[in-house]
């Protein structure tokens, strides 16, 4: 699944590009972040840092469990080259929840189809899209995130390139795509669960477009409204009430998304600049 470190890395790559400096690597960001998290105050009233602060206890357990797991793995299997990040425990054991089941580590994702989305955040309105581009091909994450963080910020033709002065207004979201399936029909998918990738031919021309899993829910669309909007995005100009006459090929998929606002990136970056490791 996407992580906060992935989001930090996207901000780091874009900021470094705009500031004409060398960016930290994904590995360096991940190492730095694991230390940074342990320095934060998780008292929401004294230090209200939104959703990040609310997740600090879990983040600290996760970081601590990762260190213990890595040490244990090194002792038990020197041949293993894959480290996994355990899920944080959540409360006492119950008859339905054992220690072993809670501690089962998810697999580390090294490569994945991915999308990077930039939004403008304001207290006056809902988040506004500022750029979103990705790939349906597996990408090694350090290279893919670096590439698409810049492509979506600077080369999304729907928008002018993001400038340095805009960074404080931004939020970045990273979505790692999973579970691709051919749908049995245009309606064979669930709102809020599946993203869609459609393709079709109309008047001798081929069309195609995609929406990530959260788009339809954020817009308040029905399934039909989502499909018509997606066809319009692809360039289809037919009558809205005739959309069902078009033979659509629909691939549904799921997305593991994480997001982070520039405010938290700036706090972490200032900590790094002051000597944090």
């Amino acid at each position: 699944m996407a992580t906060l470190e992935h989001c930090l890395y996207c901000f780091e790559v874009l900021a470094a590009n705009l500031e004409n400096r060398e960016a930290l690597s994904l590995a360096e960001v991940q190492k730095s972040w694991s230390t940074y998290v342990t320095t934060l105050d998780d008292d929401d009233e004294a230090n209200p840092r939104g959703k990040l602060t609310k997740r600090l206890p879990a983040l600290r357990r996760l970081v601590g469990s990762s260190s213990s797991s890595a040490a244990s793995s090194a002792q038990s299997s020197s041949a293993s080259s894959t480290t996994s990040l355990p899920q944080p425990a959540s409360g006492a054991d119950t008859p339905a929840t054992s220690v072993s089941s809670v501690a089962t580590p998810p697999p580390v994702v090294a490569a994945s189809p991915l999308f990077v989305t930039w939004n403008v955040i304001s207290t006056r309105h809902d988040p506004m899209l500022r750029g979103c581009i990705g790939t349906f091909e597996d990408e090694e994450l350090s290279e893919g995130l670096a590439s698409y963080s810049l492509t979506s910020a600077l080369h999304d033709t729907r928008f002018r390139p993001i400038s340095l002065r805009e960074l404080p207004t931004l939020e970045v979201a990273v979505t790692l795509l999973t579970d691709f399936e051919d749908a049995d029909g245009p309606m064979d998918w669930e709102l809020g669960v599946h993203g869609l990738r459609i393709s079709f031919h109309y008047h001798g021309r081929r069309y195609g477009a995609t929406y990530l899993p959260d788009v339809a829910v954020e817009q308040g669309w029905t399934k039909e409204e989502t499909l018509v909007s997606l066809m319009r995005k692809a360039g289809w100009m037919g009558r809205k009430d005739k959309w069902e006459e078009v033979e659509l090929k629909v691939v549904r998929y799921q997305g593991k998304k994480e997001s982070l606002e520039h405010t938290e990136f700036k706090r972490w970056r200032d900590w790094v600049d002051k000597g944090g490791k």
Side-chain angles (χ1 to χ4, degrees):
M1 63 178 295
T3 66
L4 290 172
E5 293 98 315
H6 295 153
C7 297
L8 281 170
Y9 182 55
C10 290
F11 259 126
E12 169 67 8
V13 169
L14 178 57
N17 178 274
L18 296 175
E19 295 168 355
N20 296 313
R21 61 173 175 82
E22 184 175 350
L24 296 178
S25 68
L26 177 58
E28 290 171 328
V29 169
Q30 291 169 324
K31 180 179 179 181
S32 172
W33 174 253
S34 67
T35 302
Y36 171 73
V37 166
T38 66
T39 70
L40 298 179
D41 182 2
D42 58 339
D43 184 344
D44 286 352
E45 293 184 2
N47 184 17
R49 294 185 179 176
K51 67 177 182 179
L52 176 65
T53 309
K54 296 176 182 178
R55 288 183 289 184
L56 284 178
L59 286 168
R60 287 172 181 159
R61 286 197 300 272
L62 188 145
V63 170
S65 299
S66 177
S67 299
S68 300
S69 176
S72 175
S73 176
Q75 294 173 355
S76 62
S77 178
S78 60
S80 176
S81 62
T82 302
T83 57
S84 298
L85 204 56
Q87 296 175 342
S90 56
D93 294 344
T94 67
T97 306
S98 67
V99 172
S100 60
S101 65
V102 170
T104 301
V108 169
V109 178
S112 174
L114 61 92
F115 271 72
V116 177
T117 304
W118 298 97
N119 294 312
V120 175
I121 302 299
S122 172
T123 57
R124 299 191 301 271
H125 53 70
D126 292 335
M128 296 175 59
L129 183 64
R130 192 64 180 80
C132 181
I133 296 179
T135 177
F136 288 100
E137 302 297 326
D138 271 352
E139 290 277 340
E140 196 280 322
L141 290 186
S142 63
E143 295 180 4
L145 291 173
S147 174
Y148 285 98
S149 62
L150 294 179
T151 302
S152 58
L154 306 176
H155 303 295
D156 188 329
T157 57
R158 296 170 295 178
F159 308 95
R160 55 182 171 77
I162 289 173
S163 65
L164 181 60
R165 63 181 178 81
E166 290 181 84
L167 283 184
T169 70
L170 297 180
E171 169 195 69
V172 68
V174 173
T175 307
L176 303 186
L177 310 183
T178 65
D179 302 301
F180 288 86
E181 302 171 307
D182 288 330
D184 290 335
M187 294 295 187
D188 183 28
W189 56 281
E190 294 184 45
L191 286 166
V193 174
H194 295 111
L196 300 178
R197 185 182 187 184
I198 67 168
S199 59
F200 58 96
H201 287 83
Y202 186 74
H203 289 176
R205 181 179 173 185
R206 186 179 185 279
Y207 296 82
T210 190
Y211 275 149
L212 296 177
D214 55 343
V215 172
V217 173
E218 289 178 353
Q219 297 299 321
W221 291 334
T222 64
K223 283 187 174 183
E224 180 174 335
E225 289 170 334
T226 302
L227 288 167
V228 172
S229 176
L230 191 50
M231 292 171 71
R232 294 283 192 232
K233 180 183 179 183
W236 180 71
M237 301 300 292
R239 286 177 50 180
K240 184 170 64 174
D241 60 346
K242 299 293 185 180
W243 75 270
E244 290 181 282
E245 297 179 4
V246 179
E247 185 177 349
L248 296 179
K249 178 182 179 182
V250 179
V251 175
R252 67 187 190 186
Y253 58 87
Q254 298 182 43
K256 312 303 182 182
K257 175 183 174 181
E258 188 58 86
S259 61
L260 189 78
E261 293 184 18
H262 180 269
T263 301
E264 194 54 50
F265 165 74
K266 183 67 163 55
R267 291 193 183 103
W268 166 79
R269 186 67 235 189
D270 288 346
W271 176 82
V272 170
D273 290 339
K274 292 177 181 177
K277 300 294 184 182

